[in-house]
Amino acid sequence: MSKVSKPFMESIKNYLDKRAAEDELFAETYKKENKSLEECCNYVMKCAKDGGCAGYSDEEVFGWAVHYYDEDDIKNIAPVSGKVIVNSSVELSEEEKAAAKEKAMELAIEEAKEEAKKKLSETVELSDEDLADVKQKAIEKVVLEQKEKLIQKKASKKVESNTEVEPDLFSM
């Protein structure tokens, strides 16, 4: 078996299947026993390599695939190595778009924080007292964040159950 990428082979197959469903004459040609999808993909790769261009339109690529099935004298095509970029589109729901945007923002923020830490660590020297102070502030920040999360979780449970919630663990 050649090393034809699965997405590339699927794109070619999807096009040929659709063409066969719409064109009875091609449907018969597509059924030829002496032809295979893998060899078709090898032929398309060979045509692309022989053409010498960096990229081709979908029409050219699919045209080569149809030509492979049309011509009985095209056979025994060896695998051709190369890179293929398959054009495809993905439809995301509004929720998926929002989640992706949120994740991208979080990653951008984390990258900015790491870059800032790196720059600061190269230019700022802290005393042992300063380090202890920073550690204490970091601990306080984490405790505060956890407290806020617990409060939010408790509030959402209260709304869901409409029952009285236990007293706040952090209240004084």
Side-chain angles (χ1 to χ4, degrees):
M1 183 173 193
S2 72
K3 297 185 183 202
V4 175
S5 74
K6 187 175 180 179
F8 178 61
M9 191 177 286
E10 285 176 0
S11 292
I12 298 292
K13 182 179 184 323
N14 289 342
Y15 174 82
L16 295 172
D17 288 348
K18 183 178 179 204
R19 172 93 181 240
E22 296 170 353
D23 181 345
E24 291 179 26
L25 184 58
F26 179 73
E28 291 303 313
T29 303
Y30 189 41
K31 293 178 188 176
K32 290 181 180 177
E33 290 185 20
N34 62 332
K35 300 289 183 172
S36 72
L37 182 60
E38 183 178 328
E39 189 176 57
C40 175
C41 291
N42 291 340
Y43 177 72
V44 169
M45 290 292 293
K46 179 183 179 315
C47 290
K49 186 174 184 178
D50 291 347
C53 292
Y56 298 94
S57 68
D58 290 351
E59 291 80 21
E60 288 175 290
V61 171
F62 295 136
W64 293 327
V66 170
H67 183 73
Y68 165 80
Y69 281 95
D70 285 341
E71 301 296 326
D72 289 328
D73 61 334
I74 300 174
K75 54 188 169 191
N76 300 322
I77 306 297
V80 176
S81 66
K83 292 185 179 184
V84 175
I85 297 173
V86 177
N87 295 329
S88 61
S89 61
V90 177
E91 295 294 325
L92 298 176
S93 68
E94 291 304 315
E95 294 83 20
E96 291 169 324
K97 288 178 187 177
K101 188 174 184 178
E102 184 176 329
K103 183 170 179 117
M105 290 296 290
E106 288 172 4
L107 288 172
I109 291 168
E110 287 303 314
E111 288 175 5
K113 285 180 182 177
E114 289 301 317
E115 185 65 27
K117 284 180 190 177
K118 183 179 175 185
K119 284 182 181 179
L120 282 174
S121 69
E122 293 171 356
T123 59
V124 176
E125 290 186 31
L126 297 175
S127 67
D128 290 341
E129 187 178 304
D130 289 336
L131 284 173
D133 188 42
V134 168
K135 285 181 184 177
Q136 182 61 36
K137 287 181 180 179
I139 291 170
E140 290 170 3
K141 181 181 177 187
V142 169
V143 168
L144 183 62
E145 288 172 354
Q146 292 301 318
K147 180 180 177 183
E148 288 173 3
K149 285 181 183 178
L150 285 171
I151 290 169
Q152 288 175 350
K153 187 175 180 181
K154 188 169 49 172
S156 67
K157 282 185 179 180
K158 184 176 182 180
V159 168
E160 289 175 9
S161 65
N162 286 333
T163 61
E164 196 167 312
V165 178
E166 296 179 22
D168 185 359
L169 297 175
F170 293 102
S171 62
M172 302 194 142

